[in-house]
Amino acid sequence: MPWYSGEQIEAARQMTAMEYLRRYQPYRLKKSSARNEWELTDHDSFKINGITSQWHWKSRDIGGICALNFLVKVDGMDFKEAVDLLLRENPAYISPMPKEKESKPFVLPERYRNCRQVQEYLNRRGISDGVIRYCRQYGLLYESAPYHNAVFVGKDTEGIPKYAFLRGIYDRNGKSFRIEQAGSDKKYAFCVPPNRESIRVAVYEACIDALAHMTLEGGTAEKYRLVLGGISAPKEGELRKEGKKPQALEYFLSEHPGIREIEICTDNDFAGRWACGQMKQAYQERYHIIENLPQIEGADYGDLAWQEAEKKREARQKYGRGR
């Protein structure tokens, strides 16, 4: 774990909690009855002002403004991990830290004896059992020990794991966890393969989005579903020149010369639309581009899958009461 200077910690404190939530976890926000006030879907007693970012968690009697305090005090993230995350997400900050001389070897997290808790979590998010089984069949998804994180695995063309993203499940204390496994190579991103030859690759910002979209499409496996591991985009209103081509997509295309179509499935927010435009501009001369962003403004496919699952649950409850 690296050591951070006071300057770096101060840079990490520049992002507010509201900015972090709106950019990276908008699905956790829900409007409260009070003006300019929001709540968290996973913490009823948590309130945050949409303008000042002042937040207060009543049940714990803690509060703050910056995203760093939010990640540590609310999401239970380790302080150094939170600083590292915010420094990487802040494009205005260039870290003066020297690169480590020796990178850690990549080793997959320990596997738990079953995947029950992760499956229950994904089901609550609207992911179907069939999609989960498909990913487990290819060794792309499992439950880690001892913390029961969902582990999304990225492999090379020979099927050897080279990358892993750990997604925590919110427990009763409201803790969450998201991190790439040490030694992961970002170009070997999480990718759900088709069950037959395909000329199309669909690209997503997050693993949950890929599984959610696959669920919404009836679990069909007729195309590759590649996760970009997030996107780099300017803030709304900020000017920036041409963006970089996604590393994961670049490597994937170099290893799959038969691809002819790129289906862009980024989030339907400013950053997602900006990234969509950049990818379209970069690849439209060589590939047929399909823009397939979620139809709801501000949503991702994870949101749509959850909404669809909620409708089904409500329908079952209504049917049960009517019997």
Side-chain angles (χ1 to χ4, degrees):
M1 187 74 67
W3 175 86
Y4 292 105
S5 66
E7 179 186 1
Q8 290 172 306
I9 294 173
E10 186 59 31
R13 292 185 184 278
Q14 296 308 304
M15 184 180 291
T16 67
M18 196 63 184
E19 180 183 0
Y20 174 84
L21 287 166
R22 281 175 168 162
R23 291 177 65 181
Y24 304 109
Q25 298 182 349
Y27 58 86
R28 294 180 69 188
L29 290 170
K30 66 177 181 180
K31 190 69 178 67
S32 73
S33 58
R35 184 179 180 183
N36 298 325
E37 186 178 81
W38 296 77
E39 301 175 353
L40 288 186
T41 56
D42 48 306
H43 298 309
D44 291 336
S45 66
F46 181 99
K47 310 292 183 183
I48 184 169
N49 187 287
I51 298 177
T52 66
S53 190
Q54 183 76 45
W55 59 266
H56 181 244
W57 193 1
K58 186 177 180 180
S59 64
R60 300 292 182 85
D61 196 24
I62 56 175
I65 294 177
C66 69
L68 181 58
N69 286 343
F70 172 83
L71 291 173
V72 174
K73 295 182 179 180
V74 180
D75 281 356
M77 187 177 290
D78 178 82
F79 180 81
K80 290 183 179 179
E81 291 173 348
V83 172
D84 178 68
L85 172 66
L86 293 171
L87 291 181
R88 286 188 284 111
E89 297 295 351
N90 185 357
Y93 180 75
I94 302 177
S95 173
M97 293 176 62
K99 295 183 178 179
E100 295 183 7
K101 295 181 180 180
E102 296 183 4
S103 59
K104 295 182 179 180
F106 175 75
V107 178
L108 282 173
E110 182 181 352
R111 187 184 298 264
Y112 190 61
R113 62 177 179 268
N114 59 52
C115 197
R116 188 177 301 117
Q117 294 186 52
V118 164
Q119 176 149 349
E120 291 175 354
Y121 166 74
L122 292 175
N123 287 159
R124 291 195 301 271
R125 294 291 302 270
I127 311 301
S128 71
D129 290 341
V131 168
I132 296 171
R133 283 195 300 270
Y134 189 85
C135 292
R136 293 187 64 193
Q137 173 187 340
Y138 281 91
L140 302 174
L141 172 67
Y142 68 92
E143 185 172 320
S144 72
Y147 301 112
H148 306 284
N149 295 312
V151 182
F152 299 91
V153 182
K155 299 183 178 183
D156 63 16
T157 53
E158 297 180 355
I160 300 174
K162 298 287 187 179
Y163 172 92
F165 179 78
L166 281 66
R167 173 68 165 86
I169 301 171
Y170 292 121
D171 62 16
R172 294 180 180 178
N173 296 321
K175 295 181 180 179
S176 66
F177 182 71
R178 299 183 186 191
I179 196 170
E180 291 178 336
Q181 179 73 352
S184 289
D185 190 335
K186 290 180 178 292
K187 68 182 180 183
Y188 299 102
F190 176 76
C191 181
V192 182
N195 55 14
R196 58 182 181 273
E197 290 295 323
S198 178
I199 62 171
R200 179 181 295 192
V201 57
V203 295
Y204 306 86
E205 294 184 35
C207 302
I208 293 289
D209 296 337
L211 303 192
H213 193 206
M214 187 173 179
T215 296
L216 291 169
E217 293 187 329
T220 57
E222 81 291 352
K223 58 191 172 187
Y224 293 94
R225 298 179 189 269
L226 177 70
V227 176
L228 302 177
I231 56 174
S232 176
K235 297 179 181 179
E236 192 166 2
E238 179 183 54
L239 296 178
R240 181 185 285 193
K241 296 182 179 179
E242 181 179 336
K244 296 180 180 179
K245 293 180 180 179
Q247 182 182 9
L249 180 56
E250 280 288 281
Y251 181 74
F252 176 89
L253 294 174
S254 71
E255 294 294 315
H256 297 82
I259 293 295
R260 297 290 179 268
E261 301 174 347
I262 300 176
E263 180 180 354
I264 303 176
C265 305
T266 50
D267 301 351
N268 189 3
D269 56 13
F270 171 78
R273 293 189 294 270
W274 188 89
C276 176
Q278 291 292 307
M279 283 187 280
K280 182 178 180 180
Q281 181 178 345
Y283 295 107
Q284 63 185 352
E285 292 185 3
R286 293 179 54 198
Y287 301 93
H288 174 57
I289 305 298
I290 301 100
E291 295 184 43
N292 192 12
L293 277 62
Q295 294 182 354
I296 300 177
E297 172 78 20
D300 56 38
Y301 277 108
D303 298 325
L304 300 191
W306 179 83
Q307 291 176 12
E308 186 65 24
E310 281 295 293
K311 290 179 182 178
K312 292 179 180 179
R313 282 191 282 266
E314 290 174 2
R316 287 195 298 268
Q317 292 174 358
K318 183 178 181 180
Y319 173 75
R321 288 194 298 266
R323 295 185 64 179

